[in-house]
Amino acid sequence: MKKEYKKLELDKVLVLLSEQAYCDVCKEEILKITPSFDIDMVKSEIAKTGDAFTLSSKFGTPRFFNIKDICFSVKRASQGSTLSLRELLDIGLVLREVSGLVSWYSQCSSIESSLSEYFYMLQENKHLEQTISNSIVSEEEISDSASPELSRIRRAIHKKSLNIREQLDKLIKNKTNQKYLQESLVTMRDGRFVVPVKTEYKSEISGLVHDSSQTGATLFIEPMSVVEANNEIRVLQSREQEEIERIIKEMSEMAGNFSEAMIRNYNTILRLEIYFAKANLGAKMKAVIPEISEKPCFTLNKARHPLIDKDKVVPITLELGNSYSSLIVTGPNTGGKTVSLKTAGLLVLMAMCGMMIPASDNSVIGMFDEVYVDIGDEQSIEQSLSTFSSHMTNIVKILKTADESSLVLLDELCSGTDPVEGSALAVSILKELKSRECKLLATTHYQEVKMYAIETEGVENASCEFDVKTLQPTYRFIVGMPGKSNAFAISSKLGIDEYIIEEAKQLVSTENKRFEEVVEALEKSRQELEKLKSAVKAEERKSKELTTQLEEQRERLEREKEKELQAVRNKAMSIIEEVRFQGDLLLEDLEQIRKQKESADFSQKVKGARSRINSAMNSMYDTANPISEKKIEHYVLPRPLKVGDTVLVVDLNQEGTLTRLPDAKNICFVQIGSMKSKTKMENLRLIEKKESKKQTTPKVTKKTESNFTRKSGMELDIRGMMGDEGVMEVDRFIDSCLMSGISVITIIHGKGTGALRSAVQQFLRRNPHVKTFRDGTYGEGDMGVTVAELG
């Protein structure tokens, strides 16, 4: 990496990025990332990082494993080499990751992504993946399930071993033999079962000696009785090894046949992991995808240095290359000038590396041909370079190659030498860089450089704010205002005697004093303006909060109104159903009386029915008028009421016409519009109408047919009846309605085959009491009902 990029700490950001990766190889690849100065490449990389961020936000980051580089292994396998178990396990892990990534991306198919090409490049090999998974236990062991032959051989070895152990167990448990044995146990030497025999008794145990202890006191003898069985085990073990080699060879051939796809899979996985690492780092930094511009410029909104704690760093907003090409940053030491310089340069490099930048939305990064940096002290005793010389060496290199597409970052330009000569040289260098249309960001303490920025078009001053009261930097970046070094104030605060400070002030030239006074006045004006802006923003905030509160209150009232209306609707429906029920009961009574019209006590029953009807009607009036009575003040009528008087119903605050005089219970009826209400006499106030001098033409009220005709009449349900039976029920129902004064009826006959509907409508067509009839409309029952008007 270039030392200029290291000065901007790009290497440290790449270390942070590598920590977001899982694979060691991927971490190494990340540390090798360098900025690209090709706009198509940068846009492509930024877009892929942005898509990785979007996919991670919606579906979570896919799982990556610490895969190893398998390219060399699969190339060897393709050339016929047999791979080790470790190499096959590494290949299996890559295949497992391929399957996981393909499965993860299947849920993202509805989203267009520039990463799709990478996921489509992944090629699964389930057979090889399962074979490796089922066959290899570790890099030193093959599973019994690797093949049926291997499983059979190992079962045979196990069975033979058990038989040998049984024989040897009998031998060592024999009391005669126990005195010959060093220990009563069975062990192994060179893959054969043996028993430990004391040296002096070696002739007592017939067998082959395979080993002895270090002291020579014990001999490990294979008894003759198990020699043949041990030989058989050795043969089986040889066959087992041959089968293992065959299985490994077969898996190696499978990997070799899939070598090209495996290499492609491996490289694709690394690319995907890098993009998702960039996305995860961006999420951790609360970064954004910048807009990439062809123009060499940048606009950074609320940018933060990525290596400073995000809870402590003060965001800065700055731009370069649009309204001005050079920005001169001034202010006190430790005020944040260098950090601002590094932040701008580092974020440009991060974008050119295809990374998200820690800034706010609408940030723009333009394309530069190169980024030149002169930051820090590079003095060298070996090269006889002083601070000033080292800076000049860097600037000489910059002046040789910088042009209109270059970003130049200069910290403390021409410091470390005589101030008079240094300031003059600094202005001269700035003029030269401006003439080349370089995009320049420089820091300085020189007054002459500040004046140059004020007087020159295309060059702008900026400062890092310093609080004189606390003598602490605020780290706020302010464009358009030169900063003060505040050396006198800081020195005074640190304990320098006041008379020394005053004498120093006298030594400052008149021009410099005047300039400082102007800067100080500008600073005061700026601070006052900031306060005014803050006050305006506070008022705007309060206004928005009030508007929001009012809007919420309006919505709440609307919800409460709708809730109350719904309660009223429910209550109205309840009243209607109750009145309907009472009406049905009255009709049943009338039907019973009609059936008994030939009886002797018919007239008495009619009187009784009339009484019950009046009682029921009064009850229905009470149900239909559920208004809580108000407290009625004492009132004396000016004259007795008579039918037709206009009265005020106090508890309803409505005018109406008296239709029935009070009964024994002091209850009377008042017609209010189309509603007839029952109330007590005390609830009425007589309204005397003054006679009009001019005769007015009576208004004709047009009767509007209600959309709820079915609800205003009576219903008869004859569904399921035969034609004749239904017609008889309709005939009786019409008689009852005529007696009750009901003019509109609804007959529910259902749709079915249409026979019952046809019979009913033929009867209605012949009935002299039926004026008109029609099919039901939408909401009334359609063809399943017939609505008739009686007369």
Side-chain angles (χ1 to χ4, degrees), residues 556-599:
R556 178 174 55 80
L557 291 174
E558 286 289 337
R559 289 194 297 269
E560 291 177 357
K561 182 184 77 172
E562 185 60 30
K563 186 176 179 182
E564 291 296 328
L565 287 174
Q566 188 60 39
V568 171
R569 292 190 194 103
N570 293 338
K571 183 64 176 176
M573 292 301 297
S574 175
I575 292 171
I576 290 170
E577 292 301 325
E578 179 63 24
V579 171
R580 182 189 296 276
F581 175 72
Q582 294 293 337
D584 289 342
L585 293 178
L586 292 178
L587 286 175
E588 289 179 7
D589 284 349
L590 291 172
E591 181 65 20
Q592 294 295 326
I593 292 171
R594 190 180 69 81
K595 290 179 180 179
Q596 300 173 14
K597 61 183 177 181
E598 302 300 331
S599 61

Short mmCIF file of all heavy atoms in Angstrom, two decimals, residues 556-599:
data_model
loop_
_atom_site.label_atom_id
_atom_site.label_comp_id
_atom_site.label_asym_id
_atom_site.label_seq_id
_atom_site.Cartn_x
_atom_site.Cartn_y
_atom_site.Cartn_z
N ARG A 556 -57.95 11.04 16.82
CA ARG A 556 -58.56 10.39 17.98
C ARG A 556 -60.05 10.71 18.07
O ARG A 556 -60.88 9.84 18.33
CB ARG A 556 -57.84 10.82 19.26
CG ARG A 556 -58.42 10.23 20.54
CD ARG A 556 -57.57 10.60 21.73
NE ARG A 556 -57.38 12.04 21.85
CZ ARG A 556 -58.29 12.87 22.37
NH1 ARG A 556 -59.46 12.40 22.80
NH2 ARG A 556 -58.04 14.16 22.46
N LEU A 557 -60.39 12.00 17.84
CA LEU A 557 -61.80 12.40 17.87
C LEU A 557 -62.59 11.70 16.77
O LEU A 557 -63.75 11.31 16.98
CB LEU A 557 -61.92 13.92 17.73
CG LEU A 557 -61.41 14.74 18.93
CD1 LEU A 557 -61.45 16.23 18.60
CD2 LEU A 557 -62.24 14.46 20.19
N GLU A 558 -61.95 11.56 15.59
CA GLU A 558 -62.62 10.86 14.50
C GLU A 558 -62.90 9.41 14.89
O GLU A 558 -63.98 8.87 14.62
CB GLU A 558 -61.76 10.90 13.24
CG GLU A 558 -61.72 12.24 12.53
CD GLU A 558 -63.05 12.56 11.87
OE1 GLU A 558 -63.81 11.63 11.57
OE2 GLU A 558 -63.33 13.76 11.66
N ARG A 559 -61.91 8.78 15.54
CA ARG A 559 -62.11 7.39 15.97
C ARG A 559 -63.21 7.28 17.01
O ARG A 559 -64.05 6.38 16.97
CB ARG A 559 -60.80 6.82 16.54
CG ARG A 559 -59.73 6.56 15.47
CD ARG A 559 -58.62 5.71 16.03
NE ARG A 559 -57.93 6.36 17.13
CZ ARG A 559 -56.86 7.12 16.99
NH1 ARG A 559 -56.35 7.33 15.78
NH2 ARG A 559 -56.28 7.68 18.03
N GLU A 560 -63.21 8.27 17.97
CA GLU A 560 -64.25 8.25 19.01
C GLU A 560 -65.62 8.49 18.39
O GLU A 560 -66.60 7.86 18.78
CB GLU A 560 -63.94 9.31 20.07
CG GLU A 560 -62.71 8.99 20.91
CD GLU A 560 -62.39 10.08 21.91
OE1 GLU A 560 -63.10 11.11 21.89
OE2 GLU A 560 -61.45 9.90 22.70
N LYS A 561 -65.68 9.42 17.40
CA LYS A 561 -66.96 9.70 16.74
C LYS A 561 -67.48 8.45 16.04
O LYS A 561 -68.65 8.10 16.16
CB LYS A 561 -66.79 10.84 15.74
CG LYS A 561 -68.10 11.23 15.04
CD LYS A 561 -67.88 12.30 13.99
CE LYS A 561 -67.27 11.70 12.75
NZ LYS A 561 -67.20 12.66 11.62
N GLU A 562 -66.59 7.79 15.32
CA GLU A 562 -66.99 6.57 14.62
C GLU A 562 -67.44 5.50 15.60
O GLU A 562 -68.40 4.75 15.35
CB GLU A 562 -65.82 6.07 13.78
CG GLU A 562 -66.14 4.85 12.90
CD GLU A 562 -67.25 5.13 11.91
OE1 GLU A 562 -67.39 6.30 11.46
OE2 GLU A 562 -67.99 4.18 11.59
N LYS A 563 -66.74 5.44 16.74
CA LYS A 563 -67.11 4.46 17.76
C LYS A 563 -68.50 4.74 18.32
O LYS A 563 -69.32 3.83 18.50
CB LYS A 563 -66.06 4.50 18.89
CG LYS A 563 -66.25 3.43 19.93
CD LYS A 563 -65.12 3.50 20.95
CE LYS A 563 -65.30 2.44 22.02
NZ LYS A 563 -64.22 2.52 23.04
N GLU A 564 -68.77 6.03 18.59
CA GLU A 564 -70.09 6.41 19.10
C GLU A 564 -71.18 6.14 18.06
O GLU A 564 -72.26 5.65 18.39
CB GLU A 564 -70.10 7.90 19.49
CG GLU A 564 -69.24 8.23 20.70
CD GLU A 564 -69.77 7.56 21.97
OE1 GLU A 564 -70.99 7.38 22.07
OE2 GLU A 564 -68.94 7.20 22.82
N LEU A 565 -70.88 6.49 16.78
CA LEU A 565 -71.86 6.22 15.73
C LEU A 565 -72.15 4.73 15.62
O LEU A 565 -73.30 4.34 15.42
CB LEU A 565 -71.34 6.77 14.40
CG LEU A 565 -71.36 8.29 14.23
CD1 LEU A 565 -70.68 8.67 12.92
CD2 LEU A 565 -72.78 8.83 14.25
N GLN A 566 -71.11 3.93 15.75
CA GLN A 566 -71.32 2.49 15.67
C GLN A 566 -72.17 2.00 16.82
O GLN A 566 -73.04 1.13 16.65
CB GLN A 566 -69.96 1.76 15.66
CG GLN A 566 -70.05 0.27 15.39
CD GLN A 566 -70.66 -0.03 14.04
OE1 GLN A 566 -70.40 0.65 13.06
NE2 GLN A 566 -71.52 -1.04 13.99
N ALA A 567 -71.94 2.58 18.01
CA ALA A 567 -72.76 2.20 19.17
C ALA A 567 -74.21 2.57 18.94
O ALA A 567 -75.13 1.80 19.27
CB ALA A 567 -72.21 2.88 20.43
N VAL A 568 -74.44 3.78 18.36
CA VAL A 568 -75.81 4.21 18.06
C VAL A 568 -76.44 3.29 17.03
O VAL A 568 -77.62 2.90 17.15
CB VAL A 568 -75.81 5.68 17.58
CG1 VAL A 568 -77.18 6.07 17.05
CG2 VAL A 568 -75.39 6.61 18.71
N ARG A 569 -75.67 2.92 16.00
CA ARG A 569 -76.20 2.01 14.98
C ARG A 569 -76.59 0.67 15.60
O ARG A 569 -77.66 0.12 15.30
CB ARG A 569 -75.14 1.79 13.89
CG ARG A 569 -74.84 3.00 13.03
CD ARG A 569 -73.98 2.62 11.84
NE ARG A 569 -73.41 3.79 11.20
CZ ARG A 569 -72.15 4.18 11.35
NH1 ARG A 569 -71.31 3.50 12.11
NH2 ARG A 569 -71.69 5.27 10.73
N ASN A 570 -75.72 0.16 16.46
CA ASN A 570 -76.02 -1.11 17.11
C ASN A 570 -77.29 -1.02 17.96
O ASN A 570 -78.12 -1.92 17.98
CB ASN A 570 -74.84 -1.55 17.97
CG ASN A 570 -73.62 -1.88 17.13
OD1 ASN A 570 -73.74 -2.18 15.93
ND2 ASN A 570 -72.45 -1.86 17.73
N LYS A 571 -77.41 0.11 18.67
CA LYS A 571 -78.59 0.31 19.50
C LYS A 571 -79.84 0.40 18.64
O LYS A 571 -80.90 -0.18 18.97
CB LYS A 571 -78.42 1.59 20.33
CG LYS A 571 -79.56 1.86 21.29
CD LYS A 571 -79.66 0.80 22.36
CE LYS A 571 -80.74 1.13 23.37
NZ LYS A 571 -80.91 0.05 24.37
N ALA A 572 -79.75 1.11 17.52
CA ALA A 572 -80.89 1.24 16.62
C ALA A 572 -81.31 -0.11 16.07
O ALA A 572 -82.51 -0.43 16.00
CB ALA A 572 -80.56 2.21 15.48
N MET A 573 -80.32 -0.94 15.67
CA MET A 573 -80.64 -2.26 15.17
C MET A 573 -81.30 -3.12 16.25
O MET A 573 -82.23 -3.88 15.99
CB MET A 573 -79.37 -2.96 14.67
CG MET A 573 -78.77 -2.33 13.42
SD MET A 573 -79.93 -2.33 12.03
CE MET A 573 -80.15 -4.09 11.78
N SER A 574 -80.84 -2.96 17.48
CA SER A 574 -81.43 -3.69 18.59
C SER A 574 -82.89 -3.28 18.79
O SER A 574 -83.77 -4.12 19.01
CB SER A 574 -80.62 -3.45 19.86
OG SER A 574 -81.23 -4.06 20.97
N ILE A 575 -83.16 -1.96 18.69
CA ILE A 575 -84.54 -1.46 18.84
C ILE A 575 -85.42 -2.00 17.73
O ILE A 575 -86.55 -2.45 17.96
CB ILE A 575 -84.54 0.08 18.85
CG1 ILE A 575 -83.86 0.61 20.12
CG2 ILE A 575 -85.96 0.63 18.74
CD1 ILE A 575 -83.63 2.09 20.11
N ILE A 576 -84.91 -1.99 16.50
CA ILE A 576 -85.68 -2.47 15.36
C ILE A 576 -86.04 -3.94 15.54
O ILE A 576 -87.18 -4.36 15.30
CB ILE A 576 -84.88 -2.26 14.05
CG1 ILE A 576 -84.80 -0.77 13.72
CG2 ILE A 576 -85.51 -3.02 12.88
CD1 ILE A 576 -83.85 -0.44 12.59
N GLU A 577 -85.05 -4.74 15.97
CA GLU A 577 -85.32 -6.16 16.16
C GLU A 577 -86.35 -6.39 17.25
O GLU A 577 -87.22 -7.27 17.14
CB GLU A 577 -84.00 -6.89 16.50
CG GLU A 577 -83.00 -6.95 15.36
CD GLU A 577 -83.57 -7.63 14.14
OE1 GLU A 577 -84.36 -8.59 14.31
OE2 GLU A 577 -83.25 -7.20 13.01
N GLU A 578 -86.29 -5.60 18.32
CA GLU A 578 -87.27 -5.75 19.41
C GLU A 578 -88.66 -5.37 18.93
O GLU A 578 -89.65 -6.07 19.21
CB GLU A 578 -86.84 -4.86 20.59
CG GLU A 578 -87.79 -4.89 21.78
CD GLU A 578 -87.87 -6.26 22.42
OE1 GLU A 578 -86.92 -7.05 22.28
OE2 GLU A 578 -88.90 -6.56 23.05
N VAL A 579 -88.77 -4.25 18.20
CA VAL A 579 -90.07 -3.83 17.68
C VAL A 579 -90.61 -4.88 16.70
O VAL A 579 -91.80 -5.20 16.69
CB VAL A 579 -89.94 -2.46 17.00
CG1 VAL A 579 -91.22 -2.09 16.25
CG2 VAL A 579 -89.61 -1.38 18.04
N ARG A 580 -89.70 -5.44 15.85
CA ARG A 580 -90.12 -6.48 14.92
C ARG A 580 -90.68 -7.69 15.67
O ARG A 580 -91.71 -8.27 15.29
CB ARG A 580 -88.93 -6.90 14.06
CG ARG A 580 -89.29 -7.96 13.00
CD ARG A 580 -88.01 -8.48 12.35
NE ARG A 580 -87.33 -7.43 11.63
CZ ARG A 580 -87.65 -7.09 10.39
NH1 ARG A 580 -88.63 -7.71 9.76
NH2 ARG A 580 -87.00 -6.13 9.79
N PHE A 581 -90.00 -8.06 16.76
CA PHE A 581 -90.45 -9.22 17.55
C PHE A 581 -91.84 -8.97 18.14
O PHE A 581 -92.73 -9.83 18.08
CB PHE A 581 -89.43 -9.49 18.66
CG PHE A 581 -89.84 -10.59 19.60
CD1 PHE A 581 -89.83 -11.91 19.19
CD2 PHE A 581 -90.25 -10.28 20.90
CE1 PHE A 581 -90.22 -12.92 20.06
CE2 PHE A 581 -90.63 -11.28 21.76
CZ PHE A 581 -90.62 -12.61 21.35
N GLN A 582 -92.03 -7.77 18.70
CA GLN A 582 -93.35 -7.44 19.27
C GLN A 582 -94.41 -7.44 18.18
O GLN A 582 -95.55 -7.88 18.38
CB GLN A 582 -93.28 -6.06 19.94
CG GLN A 582 -92.37 -6.01 21.17
CD GLN A 582 -92.89 -6.84 22.32
OE1 GLN A 582 -94.09 -7.12 22.40
NE2 GLN A 582 -92.00 -7.25 23.21
N GLY A 583 -94.08 -6.92 16.99
CA GLY A 583 -95.04 -6.91 15.88
C GLY A 583 -95.42 -8.32 15.47
O GLY A 583 -96.59 -8.60 15.18
N ASP A 584 -94.44 -9.24 15.45
CA ASP A 584 -94.75 -10.64 15.11
C ASP A 584 -95.71 -11.24 16.11
O ASP A 584 -96.63 -12.00 15.75
CB ASP A 584 -93.46 -11.45 15.06
CG ASP A 584 -92.60 -11.10 13.87
OD1 ASP A 584 -93.14 -10.49 12.92
OD2 ASP A 584 -91.39 -11.41 13.89
N LEU A 585 -95.50 -10.91 17.39
CA LEU A 585 -96.42 -11.42 18.41
C LEU A 585 -97.84 -10.90 18.17
O LEU A 585 -98.84 -11.63 18.30
CB LEU A 585 -95.95 -11.02 19.80
CG LEU A 585 -94.64 -11.67 20.28
CD1 LEU A 585 -94.28 -11.15 21.66
CD2 LEU A 585 -94.77 -13.18 20.32
N LEU A 586 -97.97 -9.60 17.82
CA LEU A 586 -99.29 -9.02 17.55
C LEU A 586 -99.94 -9.72 16.37
O LEU A 586 -101.14 -10.00 16.37
CB LEU A 586 -99.16 -7.52 17.27
CG LEU A 586 -98.74 -6.65 18.47
CD1 LEU A 586 -98.59 -5.21 18.01
CD2 LEU A 586 -99.75 -6.73 19.60
N LEU A 587 -99.17 -9.98 15.33
CA LEU A 587 -99.72 -10.67 14.16
C LEU A 587 -100.20 -12.07 14.51
O LEU A 587 -101.24 -12.53 14.00
CB LEU A 587 -98.66 -10.75 13.06
CG LEU A 587 -98.37 -9.44 12.32
CD1 LEU A 587 -97.23 -9.64 11.34
CD2 LEU A 587 -99.61 -8.96 11.58
N GLU A 588 -99.47 -12.75 15.36
CA GLU A 588 -99.91 -14.08 15.78
C GLU A 588 -101.23 -14.00 16.52
O GLU A 588 -102.13 -14.82 16.32
CB GLU A 588 -98.83 -14.72 16.66
CG GLU A 588 -97.57 -15.12 15.89
CD GLU A 588 -96.52 -15.73 16.81
OE1 GLU A 588 -96.85 -15.94 17.99
OE2 GLU A 588 -95.40 -15.98 16.32
N ASP A 589 -101.37 -12.97 17.39
CA ASP A 589 -102.66 -12.79 18.10
C ASP A 589 -103.78 -12.53 17.11
O ASP A 589 -104.87 -13.09 17.21
CB ASP A 589 -102.55 -11.62 19.07
CG ASP A 589 -101.78 -11.99 20.31
OD1 ASP A 589 -101.53 -13.19 20.50
OD2 ASP A 589 -101.42 -11.08 21.10
N LEU A 590 -103.54 -11.66 16.12
CA LEU A 590 -104.56 -11.36 15.13
C LEU A 590 -104.94 -12.61 14.33
O LEU A 590 -106.12 -12.82 13.99
CB LEU A 590 -104.05 -10.27 14.17
CG LEU A 590 -103.89 -8.87 14.78
CD1 LEU A 590 -103.19 -7.96 13.77
CD2 LEU A 590 -105.24 -8.29 15.16
N GLU A 591 -103.94 -13.43 14.01
CA GLU A 591 -104.21 -14.66 13.27
C GLU A 591 -105.09 -15.61 14.07
O GLU A 591 -106.02 -16.22 13.55
CB GLU A 591 -102.89 -15.33 12.89
CG GLU A 591 -103.01 -16.61 12.08
CD GLU A 591 -103.63 -16.37 10.72
OE1 GLU A 591 -103.61 -15.21 10.25
OE2 GLU A 591 -104.15 -17.34 10.14
N GLN A 592 -104.76 -15.72 15.36
CA GLN A 592 -105.58 -16.58 16.22
C GLN A 592 -107.02 -16.07 16.31
O GLN A 592 -107.99 -16.84 16.27
CB GLN A 592 -104.96 -16.65 17.63
CG GLN A 592 -103.60 -17.36 17.67
CD GLN A 592 -103.72 -18.83 17.29
OE1 GLN A 592 -104.74 -19.48 17.58
NE2 GLN A 592 -102.69 -19.32 16.60
N ILE A 593 -107.20 -14.75 16.42
CA ILE A 593 -108.55 -14.17 16.50
C ILE A 593 -109.30 -14.40 15.19
O ILE A 593 -110.49 -14.70 15.17
CB ILE A 593 -108.46 -12.66 16.82
CG1 ILE A 593 -107.92 -12.46 18.23
CG2 ILE A 593 -109.82 -11.98 16.67
CD1 ILE A 593 -107.58 -11.04 18.57
N ARG A 594 -108.58 -14.24 14.03
CA ARG A 594 -109.23 -14.44 12.74
C ARG A 594 -109.76 -15.87 12.61
O ARG A 594 -110.82 -16.11 12.06
CB ARG A 594 -108.24 -14.15 11.62
CG ARG A 594 -108.86 -14.11 10.23
CD ARG A 594 -107.81 -13.83 9.17
NE ARG A 594 -106.90 -14.95 9.03
CZ ARG A 594 -107.18 -16.05 8.30
NH1 ARG A 594 -108.34 -16.16 7.68
NH2 ARG A 594 -106.32 -17.03 8.21
N LYS A 595 -108.99 -16.81 13.12
CA LYS A 595 -109.41 -18.20 13.05
C LYS A 595 -110.65 -18.47 13.91
O LYS A 595 -111.41 -19.41 13.66
CB LYS A 595 -108.26 -19.12 13.50
CG LYS A 595 -107.10 -19.16 12.49
CD LYS A 595 -106.00 -20.06 13.01
CE LYS A 595 -104.82 -20.10 12.03
NZ LYS A 595 -103.73 -20.96 12.53
N GLN A 596 -110.87 -17.65 14.95
CA GLN A 596 -112.00 -17.87 15.87
C GLN A 596 -113.13 -16.87 15.65
O GLN A 596 -113.92 -16.59 16.56
CB GLN A 596 -111.50 -17.76 17.32
CG GLN A 596 -110.41 -18.76 17.66
CD GLN A 596 -109.81 -18.52 19.05
OE1 GLN A 596 -110.40 -17.78 19.85
NE2 GLN A 596 -108.69 -19.18 19.33
N LYS A 597 -113.25 -16.29 14.44
CA LYS A 597 -114.27 -15.26 14.20
C LYS A 597 -115.69 -15.80 14.24
O LYS A 597 -116.66 -15.05 14.36
CB LYS A 597 -113.99 -14.57 12.86
CG LYS A 597 -114.05 -15.50 11.65
CD LYS A 597 -113.69 -14.71 10.41
CE LYS A 597 -113.67 -15.65 9.18
NZ LYS A 597 -113.30 -14.88 7.96
N GLU A 598 -115.87 -17.10 14.14
CA GLU A 598 -117.21 -17.68 14.21
C GLU A 598 -117.64 -17.98 15.64
O GLU A 598 -118.78 -18.34 15.89
CB GLU A 598 -117.23 -18.99 13.39
CG GLU A 598 -116.85 -18.82 11.93
CD GLU A 598 -117.78 -17.87 11.21
OE1 GLU A 598 -118.95 -17.78 11.61
OE2 GLU A 598 -117.32 -17.22 10.25
N SER A 599 -116.72 -17.87 16.61
CA SER A 599 -117.07 -18.20 18.00
C SER A 599 -117.96 -17.13 18.60
O SER A 599 -117.98 -15.98 18.17
CB SER A 599 -115.79 -18.36 18.82
OG SER A 599 -115.07 -17.14 18.82
#
